[in-house]
Amino acid sequence: MKVETRKEEIIKTSTILFQKKGYSAVTMRDIAKVMGIKAASLYNHINSKQEILSNIIISLAEAFTEGMTTIMSSNDSSIDKLSSIVKLHVDITSSNTSGMASLNNDWMHLEEDLDYYLKLRLDYEDNIRQIIEQGISSNQLQDSNAEVMLFSMLSTLRSLYIWIPSKEDLDPFELAENLNKVLLTGIIK
Amino acid sequence: MKVETRKEEIIKTSTILFQKKGYSAVTMRDIAKVMGIKAASLYNHINSKQEILSNIIISLAEAFTEGMTTIMSSNDSSIDKLSSIVKLHVDITSSNTSGMASLNNDWMHLEEDLDYYLKLRLDYEDNIRQIIEQGISSNQLQDSNAEVMLFSMLSTLRSLYIWIPSKEDLDPFELAENLNKVLLTGIIK
DNA sequence: GTCTATAAATCGATAGAC
DNA sequence: GTCTATCGATTTATAGAC
């Protein structure tokens, strides 16, 4: 059984509040109230509100980067790599749904770690772009606009956090399967 | 030539600022500074910061509802209706890219108009769901999970605002064409 | 229509007792 | 590790002069 440190409790509580109202609209007093302590007590465990946000976003961004590194080093086909990316998003989003809201909507409020985050995100997108272009070159993917493909796929995967919590009847494996089908082969018969 | 009232100028300026930092992180002083006046002067034209947000979001939500009403009253096939929805999103997003950011990320900060907005959004989603289910019944769409189809399509369309401004080389008509192809027929050859 | 001045509330964060 | 008390800055919004 994992013993949660007080700092981890604060981050977990903040993550849920940030999802509901966004980083800027959540106060240290809001976080403290949910935890049943006073706002001043929070500072015995964390240095600033900014540190909480950074912790939430950077750990998620690094998880995506790590997953992408594994995928890129494989010998899979372009299509199999894209399927692995879908699964990566479903897995990470399932394990930290609320945190994904901050990653998507509050990254611009990062201060010290903003540039680092932007680099991770840009590299991640470049990797997917590379996979798609290779898929087109090798005749596995349709010869349409690669940017539109990239955009459509990433938009859906990045929005998963909005949708996953309300659909708990669908397990992660089945969801990844359905998503793969829709994203790769479309919806028309 | 349209003459812009001072109120419309304020809303336009606010829309751009809200897109960059979100509603909560933008102050009345920020808005005033961009307009070259003092914050107190804004209140000669608007009643509150909340009124600005409501104006941005509700006008967009009503535009979507109006477009959907037209689509639903047509005799088009399910597939043609979905294509019209794609075009509706491309058109509205092209005409007010920044405003779409508030619609997507700051709707929860609506006060008086929150329930009205939620009803418009729910009805809109129900209409798309209905079109997809009819497409499956009439054998035009694949017999996959309708909710996943709905989610994937709406996620992509709702994220258009992130993507449109940087791709000005692609005109709205061509973008809608490419999106239709990717969303309806997928990316696999 | 814009200004200065200011009210009243709230913000993140610190000091120091226990 | 939590508390009370508080600082200094900032927030939305109003009053009233010009």
Side-chain angles (χ1 to χ4, degrees):
Chain A
M1 186 89 95
K2 171 102 184 289
V3 177
E4 208 167 41
T5 67
R6 209 79 174 107
K7 179 170 179 175
E8 286 170 335
E9 276 184 70
I10 293 173
I11 292 172
K12 195 173 186 176
T13 302
S14 302
T15 303
I16 294 168
L17 291 174
F18 289 171
Q19 178 180 29
K20 277 191 225 165
K21 306 202 292 172
Y23 174 72
S24 303
V26 174
T27 71
M28 297 302 280
R29 286 167 178 81
D30 290 335
I31 300 166
K33 193 163 198 173
V34 173
M35 295 193 65
I37 58 177
K38 296 292 175 184
S41 304
L42 294 171
Y43 290 89
N44 205 51
H45 309 282
I46 51 116
N47 294 312
S48 65
K49 187 185 173 188
Q50 171 71 200
E51 184 188 332
I52 301 175
L53 181 70
S54 175
N55 215 295
I56 294 170
I57 293 181
I58 298 299
S59 65
L60 276 169
E62 289 179 339
F64 278 108
T65 298
E66 194 184 318
M68 178 63 82
T69 302
T70 303
I71 293 169
M72 291 302 282
S73 68
S74 76
N75 287 321
D76 289 349
S77 68
S78 298
I79 290 176
D80 285 345
K81 280 179 182 166
L82 291 179
S83 294
S84 297
I85 291 172
V86 171
K87 184 149 185 7
L88 180 66
H89 277 259
V90 171
D91 287 346
I92 293 179
T93 305
S94 297
S95 72
N96 189 355
T97 308
S98 298
M100 288 302 297
S102 297
L103 183 80
N104 276 298
N105 303 321
D106 282 321
W107 58 266
M108 72 286 280
H109 297 119
L110 285 174
E111 294 167 9
E112 215 177 327
D113 290 333
L114 178 59
D115 288 344
Y116 175 53
Y117 163 75
L118 288 176
K119 178 172 167 40
L120 291 186
R121 188 177 68 171
L122 190 64
D123 289 347
Y124 190 82
E125 289 179 6
D126 279 342
N127 279 325
I128 302 184
R129 185 177 288 110
Q130 194 180 317
I131 294 172
I132 290 176
E133 282 169 355
Q134 196 172 19
I136 295 175
S137 298
S138 61
N139 226 17
Q140 296 176 74
L141 298 183
Q142 289 183 28
D143 192 13
S144 314
N145 190 312
E147 287 298 313
V148 175
M149 293 180 177
L150 169 64
F151 159 71
S152 175
M153 181 165 173
L154 254 183
S155 296
T156 298
L157 296 180
R158 282 182 176 154
S159 302
L160 270 172
Y161 76 96
I162 301 175
W163 194 70
I164 279 190
S166 65
K167 307 282 170 186
E168 285 161 357
D169 46 315
L170 211 60
D171 76 284
F173 183 78
E174 196 181 344
L175 174 57
E177 282 248 312
N178 279 319
L179 263 179
N180 255 318
K181 200 170 163 193
V182 168
L183 288 176
L184 298 181
T185 68
I187 65 176
I188 282 191
K189 204 156 198 171
Chain B
M1 185 89 96
K2 171 102 185 288
V3 177
E4 209 167 43
T5 68
R6 210 78 175 109
K7 178 170 179 175
E8 286 169 336
E9 276 185 70
I10 293 172
I11 291 171
K12 196 174 186 176
T13 301
S14 304
T15 303
I16 294 168
L17 291 175
F18 289 171
Q19 178 180 29
K20 278 190 227 167
K21 306 202 293 173
Y23 173 73
S24 303
V26 173
T27 70
M28 298 301 278
R29 284 171 179 79
D30 290 335
I31 300 167
K33 192 163 200 174
V34 173
M35 295 193 65
I37 59 178
K38 296 292 176 184
S41 304
L42 293 172
Y43 291 89
N44 205 50
H45 310 283
I46 49 114
N47 294 312
S48 64
K49 188 186 172 188
Q50 172 71 199
E51 184 188 332
I52 301 175
L53 181 69
S54 174
N55 214 296
I56 295 170
I57 293 181
I58 298 299
S59 66
L60 276 169
E62 289 179 338
F64 278 107
T65 297
E66 194 184 318
M68 179 62 83
T69 302
T70 304
I71 292 169
M72 292 301 283
S73 68
S74 77
N75 288 320
D76 289 349
S77 68
S78 299
I79 289 175
D80 285 346
K81 279 179 182 165
L82 290 179
S83 294
S84 297
I85 291 172
V86 170
K87 185 151 185 3
L88 180 65
H89 278 258
V90 170
D91 287 347
I92 292 178
T93 305
S94 297
S95 72
N96 189 356
T97 308
S98 298
M100 288 303 297
S102 297
L103 183 78
N104 277 298
N105 303 321
D106 282 322
W107 58 266
M108 72 285 283
H109 297 118
L110 285 175
E111 293 166 10
E112 215 177 327
D113 290 333
L114 178 58
D115 288 344
Y116 175 53
Y117 163 75
L118 288 176
K119 178 174 167 37
L120 291 186
R121 188 177 69 171
L122 189 65
D123 289 347
Y124 190 82
E125 289 180 6
D126 279 343
N127 279 325
I128 302 183
R129 186 177 288 110
Q130 194 181 316
I131 294 171
I132 290 176
E133 282 169 354
Q134 197 173 19
I136 295 175
S137 298
S138 62
N139 227 18
Q140 294 176 77
L141 298 183
Q142 290 183 28
D143 192 12
S144 317
N145 190 312
E147 287 298 313
V148 175
M149 293 180 177
L150 169 63
F151 159 70
S152 175
M153 181 166 173
L154 254 183
S155 295
T156 298
L157 296 179
R158 282 181 175 153
S159 302
L160 270 171
Y161 77 97
I162 299 174
W163 194 70
I164 279 190
S166 64
K167 308 281 168 187
E168 284 160 358
D169 46 314
L170 212 59
D171 76 283
F173 183 79
E174 196 181 344
L175 174 57
E177 283 248 312
N178 279 319
L179 263 179
N180 255 316
K181 200 170 162 192
V182 168
L183 288 175
L184 299 180
T185 69
I187 66 178
I188 282 190
K189 202 154 199 173

